[in-house]
Amino acid sequence: MAQKVTRLMKHISQRDIARQLGVNVSTVSRALRGLDGVSPELKKEIERMAEERGYRPNPFATSLRFDTTHTIGVVVPDVAYNHNAHIVKSIEAEARKDGYMCIITDSNDNSENEADCLELLLNMHVEGIILCLSQDTTDFAHLERLKRAKVPVVLFDRAADIGLSSVIINDAASAQEATNCLIDGGAKRIAFLGGPNQMRQTVQRKHGYLEALRERGIPIRAELVKCHHISFNSGLSDTLELLRLPEPPDAILASHGLLAISALQAVTSCGLRIPEDLAIVGYMSDWVSEMSHPRVSFVKQNLREIGVKAFRLLLDQMNGDDSVQHVVVKARLELRDSTRKMG
């Protein structure tokens, strides 16, 4: 039964029609496109067979012939992660308005996979690429090759200083605001959970955190800064290590949603109360905060605007604009249950 269904669903091609009628494929193509050079009788027969057998033109194959596929590639570290999924959704919706299709690839947050994804997209003749770098990307040779080949590329969320257009949030300013909020709530020993130090995003958010401490006269303690791999297990082990310090933190700023949720679990597993014993602010989506207990105060990022602006920058490049542009989308702090009241 399964084989029969598969055969019924297979569309007839121009080559199939040509074979059955004993004519050239070019003749079938001309007839179906309404061009001259085909007799009325043969044209009618070709059209009849095409209709009866469910022929559908292949726009992708046609576009490849003219090297205008009207497709773009998108590379994300984890397509299942809510944050990335929402941005991809907005990119796809915006691209569709201009007649572009998206090919979504997942690097699994690995630099080698990232390079493979880019190679795959180039082989599929995409006209441009929107990319969120993996957290372990330190060698940008694969992106330099794209620049030399003049492939339009826009980075989002995680950018790098490599001469490519980008769309990010106000990382440093938002982290400084979040840290000030924790200080206003009475925190004196604020820990920072970040990703790898080679990530520009980590550097900027850590900078904002440190600036807030300096401006407010809070001592900077190196043992309270943990910048490692972004994963639930890493966040869990780092938080437990922080809680075992002789003077453990009384607040945590987590620069990624996974790190915030893992910190929450580590704190509650130790029998500590949030926010009475320890306050938390994270970078995450609002629905993730609403699902947590207690609800985590978070830096809210406009994911739709990030996706829309990333595609618009890419479209400008595909239309001939070779300028490098850096767009900053403002994020805002949303207070929930995991932070103490000010005053």
Side-chain angles (χ1 to χ4, degrees), residues 174-212:
S174 61
Q176 187 167 354
E177 181 186 7
T179 306
N180 278 326
C181 169
L182 293 168
I183 296 171
D184 290 338
K188 301 294 184 184
R189 300 182 304 280
I190 303 171
F192 178 83
L193 291 179
N197 278 310
Q198 73 265 13
M199 286 175 58
R200 186 178 184 274
Q201 182 186 83
T202 297
V203 171
Q204 290 297 309
R205 293 179 184 179
K206 183 166 60 175
H207 175 74
Y209 154 80
L210 294 173
E211 278 298 295

Side-chain angles (χ1 to χ4, degrees), residues 11 20 85 94 141 158 167 180 204 211 234 255 291 298 321:
H11 296 299
Q20 292 187 33
E94 194 67 14
R158 301 174 185 171
V167 181
N180 278 326
Q204 290 297 309
E211 278 298 295
S234 178
S255 71
M291 293 289 287
F298 64 101
D321 183 355

Side-chain angles (χ1 to χ4, degrees), residues 60 64 69 71-76 102-107 111-129 131 142 145-146 151:
F60 190 70
L64 279 177
T69 62
T71 60
I72 65 168
V74 182
V75 184
V76 292
C102 293
I103 300 175
I104 315 299
T105 60
D106 189 326
S107 71
S111 59
E112 290 185 8
N113 290 344
E114 178 178 286
D116 289 342
C117 288
L118 293 175
E119 187 68 22
L120 170 68
L121 293 171
L122 291 176
N123 289 340
M124 298 187 76
H125 293 237
V126 297
E127 295 184 34
I129 294 171
L131 165 69
H142 53 309
R145 285 194 293 272
L146 295 183
V151 176

Side-chain angles (χ1 to χ4, degrees), residues 226-246:
K226 300 287 187 182
C227 294
H228 299 122
H229 190 77
I230 297 174
S231 69
F232 184 87
N233 288 339
S234 178
L236 193 67
S237 61
D238 278 346
T239 304
L240 291 173
E241 187 175 322
L242 287 168
L243 296 177
R244 287 192 291 266
L245 289 171

Side-chain angles (χ1 to χ4, degrees), residues 174 177-178 181 281-282 297-300 331-335 342:
S174 61
E177 181 186 7
C181 169
V281 174
S297 296
F298 64 101
V299 176
K300 182 178 178 62
R332 69 176 188 269
L333 184 61
E334 294 279 338
L335 299 182
M342 296 181 187

Side-chain angles (χ1 to χ4, degrees), residues 325-338:
Q325 302 181 54
H326 301 295
V327 175
V328 177
V329 176
K330 188 174 181 180
R332 69 176 188 269
L333 184 61
E334 294 279 338
L335 299 182
R336 296 295 185 265
D337 305 326
S338 69

Side-chain angles (χ1 to χ4, degrees), residues 222-288:
E223 69 271 21
L224 293 182
V225 178
K226 300 287 187 182
C227 294
H228 299 122
H229 190 77
I230 297 174
S231 69
F232 184 87
N233 288 339
S234 178
L236 193 67
S237 61
D238 278 346
T239 304
L240 291 173
E241 187 175 322
L242 287 168
L243 296 177
R244 287 192 291 266
L245 289 171
E247 291 185 281
D250 54 10
I252 292 175
L253 172 61
S255 71
H256 191 280
L258 277 176
L259 300 177
I261 294 301
S262 59
L264 178 73
Q265 181 165 317
V267 171
T268 55
S269 71
C270 291
L272 298 174
R273 299 167 302 161
I274 299 174
E276 292 84 359
D277 298 319
L278 188 146
I280 296 178
V281 174
Y283 281 73
M284 59 174 61
S285 301
D286 46 6
W287 79 269
V288 177

